Amino acid sequence: MPATRRLGLIGMAGALLAACTPARLFNTITPADPARRLAKGLPFGSEPRQALDVYTPPRSREMAPVALFIYGGGWDSGARGEYGWAGKALAAEGFVTVVPDYRLTPAFAFPAFLEDVALAVRWAVDHAAEYGGDPSRIVLVGHSAGAYNVAMVALDLRYLAASGVDPGRIRAFAGLAGPYVFKDLNGPILQRTFGAVAGADDYQTLKYVRPSAPPAFLATGDADTTVGPSNTERLAAALRAQGVPVESHLYPGLSHTDVLLGLSRIFRGRFAVHDDLMRFLKAKTGLSLG
């Protein structure tokens, strides 16, 4: 495909992901990876949005590692049904993949969405083996607000502890274009999401960086005007200062949505995001690179 044509499709796909219904359309029209959705709408809690889908590799793999994919949407939008393509992208590489919903603002605020991610991890620990997954090898992958969610659950031990999960089960986390460092709560999104937090820094990822944190893959694009690349750079630096293994990437010319679209089958040949991420996750879970 000519470069100009590819760039035009990228722009169109980015626009599609900007709203809920078009994102579902992208999920429908993008070529699917060879993976299977074996379960839909399984509850992991009592709230309506505490439900998840499960995707499995196309070939039987005994005790495959488990990936949770957490989508973004400014903590006020998004649905698991819009990201089946992402679940299949991970499953096609050998991961039993869980894509959960989580509670959103304005009905719920911090830390409800983090509690839901930890509860989804608890579900994976309890049930992944039923789908061929190894609950001792879990990775967390998120984009945008979802990247913040997985970083916080991986770093702040309170959430996994509240769900009864041994943090040693988390082999790595991956954040794509995540907002990790908030200088202040300027703007309606941050204010409604974190404005009621009692502790001024309770929502800051940097507060919870620790030497025992799981290895991290952090990626962003230098053309991201939604979440500044400095978020990725600062979290990566803080983790490295504590001796945590970090692989970070600043992809030239990629926007906020491009970094996520790089996982899709239609765009991964254009971007290195997919191959870089899968190589990292496989290395951290002992999955064959073949």
Side-chain angles (χ1 to χ4, degrees):
M1 181 185 298
T4 54
R5 174 62 172 161
R6 286 197 299 264
L7 289 173
L9 286 172
I10 291 165
M12 178 183 70
L16 289 178
L17 286 179
C20 176
T21 300
R24 187 175 294 275
L25 176 62
F26 178 78
N27 183 66
T28 301
I29 65 174
T30 191
D33 281 286
R36 299 171 293 171
R37 184 174 67 184
L38 283 192
K40 178 181 179 181
L42 298 178
F44 63 88
S46 59
E47 295 285 342
R49 284 190 60 85
Q50 292 175 330
L52 55 81
D53 298 342
V54 181
Y55 299 85
T56 59
R59 296 177 300 279
S60 176
R61 292 175 182 265
E62 185 175 353
M63 299 299 284
V66 179
L68 274 75
F69 176 79
I70 312 300
Y71 55 78
W75 299 284
D76 69 353
S77 64
R80 67 184 188 278
E82 299 164 6
Y83 294 92
W85 62 271
K88 289 182 178 180
L90 286 158
E93 294 292 331
F95 296 88
V96 171
T97 304
V98 176
V99 182
D101 281 327
Y102 53 89
R103 286 172 289 175
L104 302 173
T105 62
F108 299 92
F110 176 94
F113 39 85
L114 302 182
E115 294 166 349
D116 286 353
V117 172
L119 284 173
V121 176
R122 173 79 257 178
W123 184 95
V125 169
D126 292 340
H127 299 285
E130 299 167 19
Y131 300 91
D134 180 355
S136 70
R137 293 185 292 156
I138 297 175
V139 295
L140 309 178
V141 182
H143 170 252
S144 193
Y148 169 86
N149 293 354
V150 302
M152 283 292 286
V153 169
L155 296 174
D156 185 347
L157 293 172
R158 292 177 297 176
Y159 298 105
L160 291 178
S163 294
V165 175
D166 178 354
R169 293 181 182 271
I170 308 301
R171 295 296 185 90
F173 74 95
L176 308 178
Y180 309 116
V181 185
F182 310 137
K183 293 181 180 179
D184 50 50
L185 297 181
N186 58 343
I189 293 177
L190 295 181
Q191 189 60 46
R192 70 170 174 256
T193 306
F194 302 102
V197 179
D201 61 351
D202 279 356
Y203 51 81
Q204 297 281 9
T205 60
L206 299 186
K207 177 179 179 179
Y208 305 103
V209 170
R210 51 189 168 79
S212 60
F217 177 96
L218 301 174
T220 188
D222 68 3
D224 189 341
T225 59
T226 302
V227 175
S230 63
N231 282 264
T232 290
E233 294 164 353
R234 290 187 63 184
L235 180 56
L239 289 165
R240 289 190 181 108
Q242 292 293 320
V244 179
V246 180
E247 182 174 325
S248 61
H249 295 270
L250 180 63
Y251 294 104
L254 297 197
S255 72
H256 189 65
T257 53
D258 290 343
V259 175
L260 174 62
L261 292 174
L263 301 185
S264 69
R265 194 171 184 183
I266 194 171
F267 292 126
R268 70 182 56 145
R270 171 70 178 173
F271 308 148
V273 182
H274 173 275
D275 291 351
D276 290 342
L277 174 62
M278 299 306 173
R279 175 178 39 77
F280 174 86
L281 295 179
K282 289 179 179 182
K284 299 308 177 186
T285 57
L287 190 59
S288 170
L289 296 178

Short mmCIF file of all heavy atoms in Angstrom, two decimals, residues 20 23-28 37 40 49 51-53 55 71 78-86 99-101:
data_model
loop_
_atom_site.label_atom_id
_atom_site.label_comp_id
_atom_site.label_asym_id
_atom_site.label_seq_id
_atom_site.Cartn_x
_atom_site.Cartn_y
_atom_site.Cartn_z
N CYS A 20 -17.50 6.48 20.68
CA CYS A 20 -17.88 5.10 20.98
C CYS A 20 -18.39 4.35 19.77
O CYS A 20 -17.88 3.29 19.44
CB CYS A 20 -18.93 5.13 22.08
SG CYS A 20 -19.60 3.51 22.50
N ALA A 23 -15.85 3.69 17.06
CA ALA A 23 -14.86 2.72 17.53
C ALA A 23 -15.39 1.30 17.33
O ALA A 23 -14.66 0.39 16.96
CB ALA A 23 -14.52 2.97 18.99
N ARG A 24 -16.66 1.12 17.58
CA ARG A 24 -17.27 -0.18 17.33
C ARG A 24 -17.22 -0.52 15.84
O ARG A 24 -17.02 -1.67 15.46
CB ARG A 24 -18.70 -0.20 17.85
CG ARG A 24 -19.36 -1.57 17.80
CD ARG A 24 -20.74 -1.53 18.43
NE ARG A 24 -20.67 -1.26 19.85
CZ ARG A 24 -20.47 -2.18 20.79
NH1 ARG A 24 -20.31 -3.45 20.42
NH2 ARG A 24 -20.43 -1.86 22.05
N LEU A 25 -17.41 0.51 15.01
CA LEU A 25 -17.33 0.29 13.56
C LEU A 25 -15.93 -0.15 13.17
O LEU A 25 -15.76 -1.09 12.37
CB LEU A 25 -17.71 1.58 12.82
CG LEU A 25 -17.58 1.52 11.29
CD1 LEU A 25 -18.49 0.47 10.70
CD2 LEU A 25 -17.90 2.90 10.70
N PHE A 26 -14.89 0.48 13.74
CA PHE A 26 -13.52 0.06 13.45
C PHE A 26 -13.31 -1.39 13.86
O PHE A 26 -12.68 -2.17 13.16
CB PHE A 26 -12.52 0.96 14.18
CG PHE A 26 -11.09 0.56 13.96
CD1 PHE A 26 -10.44 0.87 12.79
CD2 PHE A 26 -10.40 -0.16 14.93
CE1 PHE A 26 -9.11 0.49 12.58
CE2 PHE A 26 -9.08 -0.55 14.74
CZ PHE A 26 -8.44 -0.22 13.54
N ASN A 27 -13.85 -1.76 15.01
CA ASN A 27 -13.74 -3.14 15.47
C ASN A 27 -14.37 -4.10 14.47
O ASN A 27 -13.89 -5.22 14.29
CB ASN A 27 -14.41 -3.29 16.84
CG ASN A 27 -14.28 -4.68 17.42
OD1 ASN A 27 -13.18 -5.11 17.75
ND2 ASN A 27 -15.39 -5.39 17.54
N THR A 28 -15.42 -3.64 13.79
CA THR A 28 -16.14 -4.50 12.85
C THR A 28 -15.40 -4.64 11.53
O THR A 28 -15.33 -5.72 10.94
CB THR A 28 -17.55 -3.95 12.59
OG1 THR A 28 -18.25 -3.89 13.83
CG2 THR A 28 -18.32 -4.82 11.61
N ARG A 37 -13.00 -15.69 20.31
CA ARG A 37 -13.64 -15.20 21.53
C ARG A 37 -14.44 -16.35 22.10
O ARG A 37 -15.48 -16.74 21.56
CB ARG A 37 -14.55 -14.00 21.25
CG ARG A 37 -15.14 -13.42 22.54
CD ARG A 37 -15.94 -12.16 22.30
NE ARG A 37 -17.15 -12.44 21.53
CZ ARG A 37 -18.00 -11.51 21.10
NH1 ARG A 37 -17.75 -10.23 21.37
NH2 ARG A 37 -19.07 -11.83 20.39
N LYS A 40 -18.20 -14.28 26.46
CA LYS A 40 -18.66 -12.90 26.31
C LYS A 40 -19.53 -12.53 27.50
O LYS A 40 -20.44 -13.28 27.88
CB LYS A 40 -19.46 -12.75 25.02
CG LYS A 40 -20.02 -11.36 24.78
CD LYS A 40 -20.83 -11.32 23.48
CE LYS A 40 -21.41 -9.93 23.25
NZ LYS A 40 -22.22 -9.88 22.00
N ARG A 49 -21.20 -2.89 34.80
CA ARG A 49 -20.01 -2.79 33.95
C ARG A 49 -18.88 -3.72 34.40
O ARG A 49 -17.80 -3.69 33.81
CB ARG A 49 -19.51 -1.34 33.90
CG ARG A 49 -20.38 -0.46 33.01
CD ARG A 49 -19.73 0.90 32.78
NE ARG A 49 -18.42 0.79 32.15
CZ ARG A 49 -18.22 0.70 30.83
NH1 ARG A 49 -19.24 0.70 29.99
NH2 ARG A 49 -16.99 0.63 30.35
N ALA A 51 -17.95 -6.75 33.79
CA ALA A 51 -18.10 -7.92 32.92
C ALA A 51 -16.93 -7.93 31.95
O ALA A 51 -16.30 -6.90 31.68
CB ALA A 51 -19.43 -7.86 32.17
N LEU A 52 -16.63 -9.11 31.41
CA LEU A 52 -15.45 -9.25 30.56
C LEU A 52 -15.66 -10.27 29.46
O LEU A 52 -16.57 -11.10 29.52
CB LEU A 52 -14.23 -9.63 31.43
CG LEU A 52 -14.34 -10.89 32.32
CD1 LEU A 52 -14.09 -12.18 31.55
CD2 LEU A 52 -13.38 -10.79 33.49
N ASP A 53 -14.81 -10.18 28.44
CA ASP A 53 -14.76 -11.15 27.35
C ASP A 53 -13.40 -11.85 27.39
O ASP A 53 -12.41 -11.28 27.87
CB ASP A 53 -14.93 -10.47 25.99
CG ASP A 53 -16.28 -9.78 25.84
OD1 ASP A 53 -17.20 -10.10 26.61
OD2 ASP A 53 -16.40 -8.91 24.94
N TYR A 55 -10.57 -14.10 25.03
CA TYR A 55 -10.08 -14.51 23.71
C TYR A 55 -8.94 -15.50 23.90
O TYR A 55 -8.12 -15.35 24.81
CB TYR A 55 -9.59 -13.30 22.92
CG TYR A 55 -10.67 -12.27 22.66
CD1 TYR A 55 -10.97 -11.30 23.62
CD2 TYR A 55 -11.40 -12.28 21.48
CE1 TYR A 55 -11.97 -10.36 23.40
CE2 TYR A 55 -12.40 -11.35 21.25
CZ TYR A 55 -12.68 -10.40 22.21
OH TYR A 55 -13.67 -9.49 21.99
N TYR A 71 -8.80 -0.81 27.89
CA TYR A 71 -8.94 0.27 26.91
C TYR A 71 -8.98 1.64 27.60
O TYR A 71 -9.18 1.75 28.82
CB TYR A 71 -10.21 0.07 26.07
CG TYR A 71 -11.47 -0.07 26.88
CD1 TYR A 71 -12.12 1.04 27.43
CD2 TYR A 71 -12.04 -1.32 27.10
CE1 TYR A 71 -13.27 0.90 28.17
CE2 TYR A 71 -13.19 -1.47 27.84
CZ TYR A 71 -13.81 -0.35 28.38
OH TYR A 71 -14.95 -0.49 29.12
N GLY A 78 -16.10 4.15 26.60
CA GLY A 78 -15.45 2.93 26.14
C GLY A 78 -16.26 1.70 26.52
O GLY A 78 -17.05 1.71 27.47
N ALA A 79 -16.07 0.64 25.75
CA ALA A 79 -16.75 -0.62 26.01
C ALA A 79 -15.91 -1.76 25.44
O ALA A 79 -15.29 -1.61 24.39
CB ALA A 79 -18.15 -0.62 25.38
N ARG A 80 -15.93 -2.87 26.11
CA ARG A 80 -15.08 -3.98 25.71
C ARG A 80 -15.40 -4.46 24.30
O ARG A 80 -14.52 -4.93 23.58
CB ARG A 80 -15.21 -5.13 26.71
CG ARG A 80 -16.57 -5.79 26.73
CD ARG A 80 -16.69 -6.86 27.80
NE ARG A 80 -17.94 -7.60 27.66
CZ ARG A 80 -19.11 -7.19 28.13
NH1 ARG A 80 -19.19 -6.03 28.78
NH2 ARG A 80 -20.20 -7.92 27.94
N GLY A 81 -16.66 -4.33 23.87
CA GLY A 81 -17.05 -4.78 22.55
C GLY A 81 -16.40 -4.01 21.42
O GLY A 81 -16.39 -4.48 20.27
N GLU A 82 -15.84 -2.84 21.72
CA GLU A 82 -15.16 -2.03 20.72
C GLU A 82 -13.71 -2.45 20.52
O GLU A 82 -13.05 -1.96 19.60
CB GLU A 82 -15.21 -0.56 21.13
CG GLU A 82 -16.63 -0.02 21.25
CD GLU A 82 -16.71 1.29 22.00
OE1 GLU A 82 -15.63 1.84 22.34
OE2 GLU A 82 -17.82 1.74 22.28
N TYR A 83 -13.22 -3.33 21.37
CA TYR A 83 -11.79 -3.66 21.35
C TYR A 83 -11.53 -5.16 21.20
O TYR A 83 -10.48 -5.65 21.62
CB TYR A 83 -11.13 -3.12 22.63
CG TYR A 83 -11.15 -1.61 22.65
CD1 TYR A 83 -12.19 -0.93 23.26
CD2 TYR A 83 -10.16 -0.87 22.00
CE1 TYR A 83 -12.25 0.46 23.25
CE2 TYR A 83 -10.21 0.51 21.98
CZ TYR A 83 -11.25 1.17 22.61
OH TYR A 83 -11.29 2.54 22.58
N GLY A 84 -12.47 -5.83 20.56
CA GLY A 84 -12.24 -7.23 20.27
C GLY A 84 -11.01 -7.44 19.40
O GLY A 84 -10.28 -8.43 19.56
N TRP A 85 -10.75 -6.49 18.50
CA TRP A 85 -9.58 -6.60 17.63
C TRP A 85 -8.29 -6.58 18.46
O TRP A 85 -7.32 -7.27 18.12
CB TRP A 85 -9.57 -5.47 16.60
CG TRP A 85 -9.48 -4.09 17.19
CD1 TRP A 85 -10.51 -3.29 17.58
CD2 TRP A 85 -8.28 -3.36 17.47
NE1 TRP A 85 -10.04 -2.10 18.09
CE2 TRP A 85 -8.67 -2.12 18.02
CE3 TRP A 85 -6.92 -3.63 17.29
CZ2 TRP A 85 -7.75 -1.15 18.40
CZ3 TRP A 85 -6.00 -2.66 17.68
CH2 TRP A 85 -6.42 -1.44 18.23
N ALA A 86 -8.28 -5.81 19.56
CA ALA A 86 -7.09 -5.78 20.42
C ALA A 86 -6.95 -7.08 21.20
O ALA A 86 -5.85 -7.61 21.36
CB ALA A 86 -7.16 -4.59 21.37
N VAL A 99 -10.56 -9.04 28.24
CA VAL A 99 -10.87 -7.63 27.99
C VAL A 99 -12.07 -7.25 28.86
O VAL A 99 -13.21 -7.60 28.54
CB VAL A 99 -11.19 -7.37 26.50
CG1 VAL A 99 -11.46 -5.88 26.27
CG2 VAL A 99 -10.04 -7.84 25.61
N PRO A 100 -11.83 -6.57 29.98
CA PRO A 100 -12.93 -6.22 30.87
C PRO A 100 -13.44 -4.79 30.63
O PRO A 100 -12.71 -3.92 30.14
CB PRO A 100 -12.29 -6.31 32.25
CG PRO A 100 -10.87 -5.88 32.02
CD PRO A 100 -10.53 -6.32 30.61
N ASP A 101 -14.69 -4.56 30.99
CA ASP A 101 -15.17 -3.21 31.17
C ASP A 101 -14.79 -2.75 32.58
O ASP A 101 -14.33 -3.55 33.40
CB ASP A 101 -16.69 -3.13 30.99
CG ASP A 101 -17.10 -3.12 29.53
OD1 ASP A 101 -16.36 -2.55 28.70
OD2 ASP A 101 -18.18 -3.66 29.22
#
